[in-house]
Amino acid sequence: MKNVIIIDALNMFLRSYVISPHLNKKGWPIGGTIGFLKSLQKVARDFDADEIIIAWDGHEGSARRRSMNKDYKGGRKPIRFNRRLVEIPEDKEEANKGFQQVRLMEYLNEMPVIQLIADFTEADDIIALVVNNERYACCMKTIISSDKDFFQLCRDDVQVYRPIQKKLVTKQSIIDDFKIHPNNFALARAIEGDKSDNLPGIKGAGLKTIAKRFPYLVREDEYEVADIIRDCAMQGKKLKIHENISSNEKLIKDNYAIMQLQYPNIRPMNREIIKRAIIDFEPHFNKIKFSQMLADDDGLSLNFNDLQAVFRKIKR
């Protein structure tokens, strides 16, 4: 079984951007770019990658979900450095972050990886589409992200590696840890809510409580919001959680529509673009260009031998 790693690009980039102090020859921060490449090397080596897919949020990627809930991802604080070797004015920090992201894409363009991006499309939906692509039907697919949204995609041939926690999440580990099957994880989270995406949930309904009050969610059968509402209505002795859920059915349905990844929220045209990018992929590695870029970014002292070994395997 071949190993395919699918990287939530912005998630990995921002983690490196915040913590890596690397500067280029001009003295400007380039840690998001270089740190991403170092992280890419680690996961490509650790998971013995036969193919690498990098999924980016597209222009106005959140627009489709924000049309369902105008507060989606609202109120987020700007991403700031927490390690500084140079002080950058706030008005230039965002420009530097954009520069680093573009620079990273330039690196990846010279590598045997598939970069996927589409306007009005989030990386989450692209990743959900990729794991079900027929090209990878017989592959072990590992999603690299700290985002719990991907737990719902776990099955025998799909797992999630969370770099910050250094934890591999599988279908069985989700069942063991949460007493909730991946098939029902999006439903449970729709009830719980997601503070990181500014989606309020039901008061007092954490995942542990949900698993306790609705124990059938551990089964492989896929349940719907209507099943939860019906269960609450049938309780002889209603608890506060049952009342709160019953009176907030619309909130849960709206959350579920935003959180679920079983039916990726992607325009038909963009689905075709993504599918075509996978079909037409021809691996190449421009080692000379890669080295030139590293020289410009003061990164020649870094060891990327393991990453290049993975690239040689991919090219075969």
Side-chain angles (χ1 to χ4, degrees), residues 232-246:
C232 291
M234 293 175 64
Q235 296 295 319
K237 184 179 179 181
K238 288 184 174 60
L239 301 175
K240 191 65 177 178
I241 186 175
H242 297 127
E243 295 175 358
N244 289 343
I245 287 175
S246 296

Side-chain angles (χ1 to χ4, degrees), residues 86-232:
V86 61
E87 291 294 328
I88 297 181
E90 283 189 33
D91 62 331
K92 292 186 178 180
E93 192 167 310
E94 189 65 24
N96 174 261
K97 180 159 69 72
F99 158 74
Q100 290 194 49
Q101 191 170 338
V102 171
R103 183 63 167 168
L104 172 57
M105 290 179 171
E106 291 174 349
Y107 271 100
L108 296 172
N109 283 338
E110 305 302 330
M111 300 176 179
V113 305
I114 304 176
Q115 286 196 85
L116 298 176
I117 186 170
D119 289 347
F120 306 105
T121 306
E122 290 193 77
D124 296 31
D125 294 297
I126 293 175
I127 291 170
L129 195 66
V130 168
V131 298
N132 290 311
N133 188 285
E134 59 186 13
R135 174 187 175 108
Y136 306 118
C138 297
C139 299
M140 171 54 74
K141 296 161 281 283
T142 303
I143 300 168
I144 312 297
S145 179
S146 296
D147 194 337
K148 285 184 179 179
D149 287 340
F150 295 116
F151 288 10
Q152 62 184 284
L153 298 178
C154 286
R155 57 190 193 225
D156 291 339
D157 64 338
V158 180
Q159 57 190 5
V160 176
Y161 178 68
R162 309 187 76 197
I164 295 177
Q165 297 79 6
K166 295 181 172 57
K167 182 177 181 180
L168 185 66
V169 179
T170 65
K171 180 182 78 171
Q172 191 57 51
S173 72
I174 291 171
I175 293 171
D176 293 341
D177 293 346
F178 297 99
K179 304 300 184 288
I180 298 170
H181 195 282
N183 289 347
N184 298 307
F185 207 81
L187 175 57
R189 294 203 71 217
I191 298 171
E192 180 191 40
D194 187 348
K195 290 182 179 179
S196 67
D197 284 340
N198 201 31
L199 298 175
I202 303 303
K203 186 177 180 180
L207 290 179
K208 287 185 178 179
T209 301
I210 293 168
K212 181 179 180 180
R213 298 305 174 192
F214 308 98
Y216 48 84
L217 293 180
V218 76
R219 301 173 192 160
E220 189 173 2
D221 305 295
E222 295 183 30
Y223 293 93
E224 300 177 351
V225 177
D227 297 313
I228 299 293
I229 298 299
R230 188 182 306 111
D231 189 3
C232 291

Side-chain angles (χ1 to χ4, degrees), residues 38-63:
K38 291 166 68 176
S39 295
L40 174 61
Q41 173 169 251
K42 184 179 189 308
V43 295
R45 178 189 62 222
D46 291 353
F47 290 99
D48 192 22
D50 295 293
E51 195 160 313
I52 300 170
I53 296 170
I54 315 286
W56 291 99
D57 291 323
H59 172 69
E60 292 291 334
S62 300

